[in-house]
Amino acid sequence: MGLFTLSDARAELARLLPVLDEIVRLRADAAELAVGGSALGGLPEFKAAQARLDELMEAVQRTGAELKGFAPLLVDFPSEVDGVPVLLCWLEGDRELNWYHRTDLGFAGRRPL
Protein backbone atom coordinates (compact mmCIF):
# COMPACT_ATOMS: atom_id res chain seq x y z
CA MET A 1 0.00 0.00 0.00
CA GLY A 2 2.04 3.18 0.35
CA LEU A 3 3.10 5.43 3.10
CA PHE A 4 0.73 7.50 5.20
CA THR A 5 1.27 11.18 5.82
CA LEU A 6 0.57 12.13 9.42
CA SER A 7 -2.69 13.86 8.45
CA ASP A 8 -3.79 10.86 6.33
CA ALA A 9 -2.99 8.44 9.16
CA ARG A 10 -4.89 10.56 11.66
CA ALA A 11 -7.89 10.72 9.32
CA GLU A 12 -7.77 6.95 8.76
CA LEU A 13 -7.54 6.35 12.51
CA ALA A 14 -10.62 8.53 13.06
CA ARG A 15 -12.50 6.32 10.57
CA LEU A 16 -11.13 3.16 12.20
CA LEU A 17 -11.88 4.03 15.85
CA PRO A 18 -15.40 2.51 15.77
CA VAL A 19 -13.92 -0.68 14.26
CA LEU A 20 -11.13 -0.77 16.84
CA ASP A 21 -13.64 -0.21 19.65
CA GLU A 22 -15.70 -3.13 18.34
CA ILE A 23 -12.60 -5.34 18.22
CA VAL A 24 -11.87 -4.57 21.88
CA ARG A 25 -15.47 -5.35 22.88
CA LEU A 26 -15.63 -8.55 20.86
CA ARG A 27 -12.23 -9.66 22.17
CA ALA A 28 -13.60 -9.47 25.70
CA ASP A 29 -16.82 -11.27 24.70
CA ALA A 30 -14.85 -14.03 22.95
CA ALA A 31 -12.62 -14.51 25.99
CA GLU A 32 -15.69 -14.86 28.22
CA LEU A 33 -17.42 -17.20 25.77
CA ALA A 34 -14.29 -19.36 25.46
CA VAL A 35 -14.35 -20.11 29.18
CA GLY A 36 -17.96 -21.25 29.03
CA GLY A 37 -20.88 -20.71 31.36
CA SER A 38 -21.38 -17.18 30.03
CA ALA A 39 -24.67 -15.36 29.90
CA LEU A 40 -23.48 -14.23 26.45
CA GLY A 41 -24.09 -17.71 25.04
CA GLY A 42 -22.13 -20.78 24.08
CA LEU A 43 -20.16 -22.21 21.20
CA PRO A 44 -22.26 -20.69 18.39
CA GLU A 45 -21.85 -17.19 19.86
CA PHE A 46 -18.13 -17.82 20.35
CA LYS A 47 -17.73 -18.87 16.70
CA ALA A 48 -19.74 -15.82 15.58
CA ALA A 49 -17.53 -13.52 17.67
CA GLN A 50 -14.41 -15.10 16.18
CA ALA A 51 -15.75 -14.69 12.63
CA ARG A 52 -16.63 -11.04 13.25
CA LEU A 53 -13.20 -10.39 14.78
CA ASP A 54 -11.59 -11.81 11.65
CA GLU A 55 -13.72 -9.51 9.46
CA LEU A 56 -12.85 -6.45 11.52
CA MET A 57 -9.13 -7.20 11.60
CA GLU A 58 -9.12 -7.68 7.82
CA ALA A 59 -10.92 -4.36 7.44
CA VAL A 60 -8.15 -2.64 9.41
CA GLN A 61 -5.43 -4.22 7.30
CA ARG A 62 -7.17 -3.35 4.02
CA THR A 63 -6.56 0.33 4.83
CA GLY A 64 -2.79 -0.21 4.68
CA ALA A 65 -2.45 -0.02 8.45
CA GLU A 66 -0.64 -2.89 10.16
CA LEU A 67 -2.34 -4.71 13.01
CA LYS A 68 0.61 -5.52 15.29
CA GLY A 69 -1.02 -6.57 18.54
CA PHE A 70 -4.30 -8.03 19.66
CA ALA A 71 -4.20 -7.66 23.45
CA PRO A 72 -3.53 -4.83 23.81
CA LEU A 73 -4.59 -3.74 20.36
CA LEU A 74 -1.73 -2.09 18.47
CA VAL A 75 -1.97 -0.53 15.01
CA ASP A 76 0.91 0.96 13.01
CA PHE A 77 0.72 3.23 9.97
CA PRO A 78 3.83 3.09 7.72
CA SER A 79 5.25 6.57 7.23
CA GLU A 80 8.43 8.66 7.19
CA VAL A 81 9.73 11.30 9.56
CA ASP A 82 12.58 13.43 8.21
CA GLY A 83 13.19 10.81 5.48
CA VAL A 84 13.50 7.96 7.99
CA PRO A 85 11.08 5.01 7.73
CA VAL A 86 8.83 4.98 10.78
CA LEU A 87 5.57 3.53 11.98
CA LEU A 88 2.98 5.95 13.34
CA CYS A 89 1.86 4.01 16.37
CA TRP A 90 -1.61 3.73 17.93
CA LEU A 91 -2.11 1.74 21.14
CA GLU A 92 -5.44 0.62 22.59
CA GLY A 93 -6.75 3.35 24.87
CA ASP A 94 -5.35 6.18 22.73
CA ARG A 95 -7.99 8.33 21.03
CA GLU A 96 -5.51 10.07 18.73
CA LEU A 97 -2.33 9.23 16.86
CA ASN A 98 0.47 10.89 18.81
CA TRP A 99 3.38 8.38 18.74
CA TYR A 100 5.83 6.88 16.28
CA HIS A 101 8.83 4.58 16.28
CA ARG A 102 11.53 3.77 13.79
CA THR A 103 10.85 0.57 11.89
CA ASP A 104 14.10 -0.97 13.13
CA LEU A 105 13.40 -0.22 16.80
CA GLY A 106 9.83 -1.37 17.26
CA PHE A 107 7.54 -0.44 20.13
CA ALA A 108 10.42 -0.06 22.60
CA GLY A 109 11.61 2.96 20.58
CA ARG A 110 8.24 4.70 20.71
CA ARG A 111 8.45 8.51 20.79
CA PRO A 112 5.87 11.32 20.86
CA LEU A 113 5.24 13.05 17.54
Side-chain angles (χ1 to χ4, degrees):
M1 293 242 159
L3 298 178
F4 286 86
T5 65
L6 179 58
S7 61
D8 289 344
R10 284 181 168 155
E12 190 62 51
L13 176 63
R15 286 188 290 274
L16 283 174
L17 280 174
V19 173
L20 298 171
D21 289 342
E22 186 175 355
I23 290 172
V24 170
R25 183 186 58 75
L26 278 171
R27 183 187 66 204
D29 289 353
E32 185 177 325
L33 287 162
V35 173
S38 171
L40 298 174
L43 185 59
E45 289 77 16
F46 174 70
K47 293 290 189 184
Q50 281 185 314
R52 180 67 179 146
L53 280 168
D54 288 344
E55 290 173 8
L56 293 169
M57 291 186 296
E58 287 175 18
V60 171
Q61 292 178 316
R62 279 193 306 270
T63 69
E66 301 173 3
L67 192 57
K68 294 289 185 84
F70 185 64
L73 199 55
L74 179 62
V75 179
D76 286 338
F77 298 85
S79 188
E80 285 185 347
V81 170
D82 298 327
V84 176
V86 300
L87 296 168
L88 304 173
C89 184
W90 176 88
L91 179 64
E92 181 179 324
D94 293 346
R95 296 319 287 172
E96 296 179 5
L97 190 59
N98 293 319
W99 297 86
Y100 78 98
H101 56 82
R102 288 184 2 204
T103 56
D104 61 335
L105 295 178
F107 189 84
R110 200 170 185 234
R111 297 177 180 275
L113 286 165

